[in-house]
Amino acid sequence: MGAPKQKWTAEEEFALKAGVAKHGSGNWRTILRDPEFSGILFLRSNVDLKDKWRNMRVTANGWGSREKARVALKKSRAILKHDDNPLSLSTEVESVDDELIDYKPPEISSEIVQITGSKRPVSKMEDLIIEAITCLKDPKGSNKTAIAIYIEDQHLTPPDFKRLLSVKLKEMTGEGKLIKVKRKYRMAPSPAMVEGRKLKASHLEVRQKETSKEDRDDKSIAKLQVDAELAWMRNMTAQEAAAAAAQAIAEAEKAMAEAEEATREAEAAEADAAAAQAFAEAAMLTLKNRNTTKLSECSMNKFIQIAQGHRYHL
DNA sequence: ATAGGGTTATCC
DNA sequence: GGATAACCCTAT
């Protein structure tokens, strides 16, 4: 009753080879995060990549199977123990890498960890579905189309994505991970949810504080636009996200004040754009200066979308 | 997070 | 039923 085996496509294999060529064997997570490959390998986890690479390298050689390869390796290790020349093994092993692909050792890249404007890589379809349902937060559940649109919005997806989604939804429903009522899917209840409600309740206090602040006079279109974004933030469920948002709002309002200052001399339309951009920048700065891993997936996605909406990129 | 041993599904 | 590929488990 387990999940059906998902065979690797030629395209996926190619992407894996290219990924190893670029980042080196062993840097599976890095390969997965690379926008160049994430679109193709988005269904695979880092462990999947590792396992596949193992399979590929054993079949690429004379050894027909992993078992034989393992035995052969043990043998050569045993020989090494009594051998005066340790190089005999190392050359042999290195050639394995070189034969399969133009393998480049990982170089120290000084690239800053970047969350670019492009879609984020992920590992598994199941995670994507859970993320979509959670973020859509429809109490009655979300239908397949809504889930598909959400995921396609956030991530690069292959042509047969909808079919894969259908298969996975059915599977997860069968496993009891999802509840399906009238073509709508929602998360199956779990003990952890009790905790979630408490967090949501405590967040209400944060929300009300913010609301009073926003009710200030302001007819600027930019302000309204920002309010819409703030409205979303007030709906965030995760406590961490609420904390981050509160700080982002503080930053944004400061930025707004400055932007409005500029409005007096500039054209109104220009000012709106500047204010909106200032907001995105402030929100992004706030996020960057925080431990972003603590943020919920939903909030991160939404922030990225806001930034993209303002054509602002990290 | 990765490596490697172990297990299961699938194909012949 | 064995070989293989995909998946799982666990130590580091």
Side-chain angles (χ1 to χ4, degrees), chain A residues 76-178:
Chain A
S76 60
R77 273 213 195 106
I79 290 165
L80 179 64
K81 263 196 160 180
H82 310 290
D83 199 346
D84 296 342
N85 182 13
L87 267 98
S88 60
L89 173 67
S90 61
T91 49
E92 194 180 334
V93 170
E94 271 168 26
S95 69
V96 172
D97 280 345
D98 293 340
E99 273 167 37
L100 187 56
I101 182 113
D102 223 10
Y103 164 71
K104 237 195 283 169
E107 25 186 277
I108 322 264
S109 148
S110 61
E111 273 178 53
I112 302 162
V113 180
Q114 51 175 348
I115 310 168
T116 50
S118 64
K119 320 242 178 180
R120 290 182 310 125
V122 284
S123 51
K124 293 205 164 187
M125 179 67 111
E126 197 161 307
D127 298 330
L128 285 175
I129 292 170
I130 291 168
E131 178 194 325
I133 293 174
T134 309
C135 295
L136 288 167
K137 37 177 162 323
D138 185 332
K140 284 180 240 165
S142 306
N143 61 35
K144 197 185 89 181
T145 313
I147 294 169
I149 288 170
Y150 181 90
I151 296 174
E152 281 167 348
D153 210 28
Q154 305 286 348
H155 308 280
L156 294 168
T157 54
D160 60 342
F161 166 72
K162 286 216 167 92
R163 190 186 54 80
L164 293 167
L165 176 63
S166 301
V167 170
K168 202 72 193 175
L169 282 173
K170 196 171 181 180
E171 182 189 312
M172 288 172 77
T173 308
E175 288 168 344
K177 290 176 183 167
L178 297 179

Side-chain angles (χ1 to χ4, degrees), chain A residues 196-268:
Chain A
R197 290 215 183 108
K198 283 182 191 164
L199 293 178
K200 201 168 179 180
S202 73
H203 174 228
L204 277 173
E205 296 164 31
V206 179
R207 179 195 302 195
Q208 280 168 4
K209 243 176 123 184
E210 286 158 9
T211 308
S212 60
K213 248 183 133 184
E214 285 151 28
D215 284 341
R216 289 175 318 180
D217 49 318
D218 234 309
K219 293 131 211 160
S220 139
I221 296 168
K223 180 70 180 172
L224 291 175
Q225 192 176 348
V226 171
D227 280 345
E229 286 155 358
L230 295 182
W232 160 75
M233 288 191 191
R234 278 186 260 110
N235 282 330
M236 283 195 297
T237 51
Q239 192 178 33
E240 307 96 310
Q247 195 174 332
I249 288 163
E251 295 283 340
E253 295 209 321
K254 195 179 158 210
M256 282 300 305
E258 285 164 9
E260 279 160 20
E261 200 72 31
T263 308
R264 286 166 198 163
E265 289 135 300
E267 292 279 282

